[in-house]
Amino acid sequence: MSAGFRTFNPIKNDWNPEVYQNTTQDEYNHKLSLIAEAQRFLGRQTPEKRAALLQVIAACLSQKKELIKGFYLAESGLSETRFEMEWNRTIHTISHFATHLTTDFQAVKTECFPSESLQIQKHKLPIGPVLVLGSSNFPLAYSTAGGDTVSAIAAGCCVIVKAHPMHVGTSIAVANCIIEAIKKMNFPLGIFTHLIDEGYQLAQALCIDDRIKAIGFTGSIKGGKALMDIAQSRSNPIPVFAEMGSLNPVLIHTDLSKEMETEFAQKLALSITNDAGQFCTKPGVIFVRTLNSGNHFVQELKNALSLIKPVPMLHPQIHRNFEERKKEVLSIPGVQSFSCAIAAKGIEGTWCLAETTLQDFASNSSLQEEVFGPFALLVYYQDVAALNQVLESLPGQLTGSVFFREHDSQIDEWTELLCTKVGRIILNGVPTGVRVVETMHHGGPFPASSDVRFTAVGQDSINRFQKDVSIQSQNIT
């Protein structure tokens, strides 16, 4: 057995004491051998039974909240306030699906044709065992008991979770609660499988394992595309539901009053830097017209940013990636920067606001790629038609935001344009803060997500892990 690996404490800027071991091949073989029987069992359960399992999971998690909190804080460097926010969202997501299964979920649709003695039923069935890969920036809400796991179980699918190596302790504590809930329900243990690997080998093996029928992933474009390529190379290709990177463009209308510019600048500054900007929905590029009131907005944005102190990033690799990407962008000719004046300690992410012209932005692909961390790019334009042309050339995004005072024809034009590029449009608000509600669509055209038709949040996310089967019966009287 290897010496094992440890997680990192960003607050202490040191490694945590707990040592973890990778799942062995024998453990892997044994755990996955239990899945087929468990899938048959879970697939036969009523929506009400699956809802009951989710409710027991929520209760078991609540009993272990303080234990989970301890690991969460030590492994992420995130604040207690952020923990409470993410904890409440996780519990709400579980309750959201339990309610959905017992109220408006329709497992079977029936149509009868008496003159033909014919009945057709369409059944919603589980797609099969789902692999969920833990996300680095959401140790709870997009990880072991996060939206992918919960929606997959709600759909009747067994779940195999590969813990993110930088929050293994959190993942184990949560996994133990799910396993305890399964035992309390007297359900087969193979319904939920928890695996550990400090690298990528296990994830790659799982992607090509014939027992896996779908994959849920939240992370980088590079990681998501790699999973998609592997999944499509299988003799029996499977869907990968990946939520990946995004610039989340922001458009500032010229009709804002100075008071509105100050208010919106402060909101954007917080959205850019909140939790070191480690959100897939962080505003990454802001388009400002250089004429009229644009300069006042820029100054207010800089004033708001200058009051924000840096905080630790999630782990050393994310910090290194952030510094490298920031350096890459700032080295491009024509790009200027306004940066945090406070010296970083440890792996703190110091915010940076870069500035460039629309022409330079359009001509350099590196400027059109996400910088994951407390970073945003101000792009100055003079002509709206030229801006619209650039927006039309952007790849798919998760969100697009528009700030304005009066809803005029320009807002309608931008909204219509953004509908072709993003999964969610925010009017006079920031893109961070995704609500778990039925009307939420969290996804977007590639490469923001792997399939624009599906959401990773809200009750419709169950559709990713279900398939339709029609049963047509003749001689029905």
Side-chain angles (χ1 to χ4, degrees):
M1 183 174 288
S2 69
F5 67 98
R6 296 185 290 170
T7 59
F8 192 81
N9 189 320
I11 299 296
K12 295 181 178 180
N13 195 34
D14 197 5
W15 299 94
N16 287 308
E18 296 85 2
V19 178
Y20 301 101
Q21 298 292 334
N22 293 337
T23 299
T24 66
Q25 188 64 50
D26 287 344
E27 291 172 329
Y28 176 93
N29 292 338
H30 172 68
K31 289 184 176 183
L32 266 70
S33 71
L34 304 176
I35 290 176
E37 180 183 349
Q39 183 58 62
R40 285 191 293 270
F41 174 89
L42 187 60
R44 292 195 297 265
Q45 301 308 302
T46 63
E48 289 76 17
K49 277 287 188 180
R50 299 199 297 269
L53 173 59
L54 291 176
Q55 289 167 339
V56 176
I57 289 173
C60 290
L61 285 170
S62 296
Q63 291 174 358
K64 299 293 184 181
K65 179 180 177 180
E66 289 306 311
L67 173 67
I68 295 168
K69 178 180 177 179
F71 280 109
Y72 178 103
L73 297 177
E75 293 181 334
S76 69
L78 297 169
S79 67
E80 291 194 34
T81 300
R82 164 62 186 270
F83 168 80
E84 291 295 336
M85 179 276 293
E86 197 174 337
W87 174 266
N88 291 336
R89 174 172 166 169
T90 301
I91 298 299
H92 170 70
T93 298
I94 297 172
S95 300
H96 177 81
F97 275 98
T99 300
H100 174 53
L101 289 174
T102 54
T103 54
D104 55 355
F105 177 73
Q106 194 171 1
V108 182
K109 295 180 180 179
T110 304
E111 285 188 282
C112 294
F113 305 88
S115 63
E116 303 174 56
S117 300
L118 176 66
Q119 174 183 280
I120 301 176
Q121 287 187 324
K122 179 183 282 187
H123 294 254
K124 287 286 185 185
L125 300 177
I127 198 171
V130 174
L131 168 64
V132 175
L133 300 169
S135 171
S136 65
N137 61 332
F138 278 87
L140 293 176
Y142 284 97
S143 292
T144 312
D148 288 348
T149 295
V150 174
S151 58
I153 291 175
C157 299
C158 293
V159 173
I160 302 91
V161 167
K162 207 287 282 187
H164 192 281
M166 286 293 101
H167 47 74
V168 179
T170 307
S171 190
I172 291 174
V174 171
N176 286 340
C177 293
I178 299 174
I179 294 168
E180 180 185 355
I182 292 171
K183 289 179 178 178
K184 286 186 176 182
M185 291 289 294
N186 291 317
F187 283 5
L189 291 180
I191 287 172
F192 178 82
T193 302
H194 188 256
L195 304 172
I196 299 172
D197 182 24
E198 63 181 311
Y200 303 104
Q201 293 82 2
L202 187 54
Q204 293 171 344
L206 287 162
C207 285
I208 60 175
D209 194 305
D210 286 340
R211 290 166 288 197
I212 304 298
K213 303 305 180 185
I215 299 172
F217 171 79
T218 298
S220 67
I221 292 176
K222 180 180 178 182
K225 288 178 68 175
L227 291 171
M228 293 167 66
D229 290 343
I230 294 172
Q232 287 301 305
S233 71
R234 292 171 41 143
S235 58
N236 58 336
I238 59 172
V240 175
F241 299 104
E243 185 263 280
M244 299 177 281
S246 181
L247 275 178
N248 304 303
V250 176
L251 307 175
I252 305 297
H253 199 296
T254 57
D255 73 344
L256 295 178
S257 66
K258 282 185 166 45
E259 292 76 17
M260 295 177 74
E261 287 183 330
T262 300
E263 176 190 352
F264 293 152
Q266 291 172 348
K267 288 183 177 180
L268 282 166
L270 289 174
S271 188
I272 292 165
T273 59
N274 186 30
D275 289 329
Q278 297 168 118
F279 292 90
C280 57
T281 54
K282 178 211 67 180
V285 58
I286 304 170
F287 294 96
V288 180
R289 196 167 184 178
T290 53
L291 303 177
N292 301 327
S293 58
N295 289 335
H296 178 262
F297 167 81
V298 171
Q299 189 57 53
E300 289 299 292
L301 179 60
K302 291 180 178 180
N303 290 342
L305 285 170
S306 65
L307 300 176
I308 296 174
K309 297 179 180 179
V311 297
M313 301 192 77
L314 290 160
H315 56 77
Q317 187 58 54
I318 279 187
H319 181 257
R320 283 192 293 270
N321 292 344
F322 170 64
E323 290 297 329
E324 289 174 3
R325 271 291 290 140
K326 184 167 61 172
K327 183 178 180 181
E328 178 184 0
V329 170
L330 297 183
S331 67
I332 296 172
V335 174
Q336 299 179 343
S337 67
F338 175 74
S339 301
C340 179
I342 303 173
K345 298 178 182 178
I347 59 169
E348 288 181 342
T350 53
W351 56 260
C352 177
L353 185 68
E355 301 173 85
T356 192
T357 65
L358 183 68
Q359 182 179 2
D360 286 341
F361 176 81
S363 63
N364 196 304
S365 60
S366 181
L367 295 177
Q368 301 172 31
E369 298 172 5
E370 179 186 27
V371 179
F372 190 74
F375 179 97
L377 178 65
L378 274 173
V379 177
Y380 297 104
Y381 71 94
Q382 293 182 335
D383 179 67
V384 174
L387 170 62
N388 292 347
Q389 188 174 8
V390 169
L391 293 174
E392 289 174 353
S393 69
L394 285 179
Q397 307 291 326
L398 291 173
T399 75
S401 303
V402 184
F403 289 91
F404 59 94
R405 179 172 58 184
E406 300 291 338
H407 194 123
D408 57 14
S409 60
Q410 180 63 72
I411 303 306
D412 290 333
E413 183 179 15
W414 277 342
T415 301
E416 182 178 356
L417 193 161
L418 288 173
C419 278
T420 68
K421 291 293 176 181
V422 308
R424 177 166 58 106
I425 298 171
I426 305 95
L427 303 179
N428 284 338
V430 295
T432 44
V434 180
R435 292 181 181 269
V436 182
V437 293
E438 181 181 0
T439 50
M440 176 58 63
H441 185 83
H442 186 57
F446 184 85
S449 70
S450 54
D451 194 323
V452 68
R453 297 170 295 176
F454 296 100
T455 178
V457 172
Q459 67 190 52
D460 287 345
S461 63
I462 196 175
N463 296 329
R464 298 173 297 168
F465 305 125
Q466 293 193 311
K467 62 181 181 180
D468 292 319
V469 174
S470 288
I471 299 178
Q472 182 172 322
S473 304
Q474 208 70 41
N475 299 320
I476 301 297
T477 57

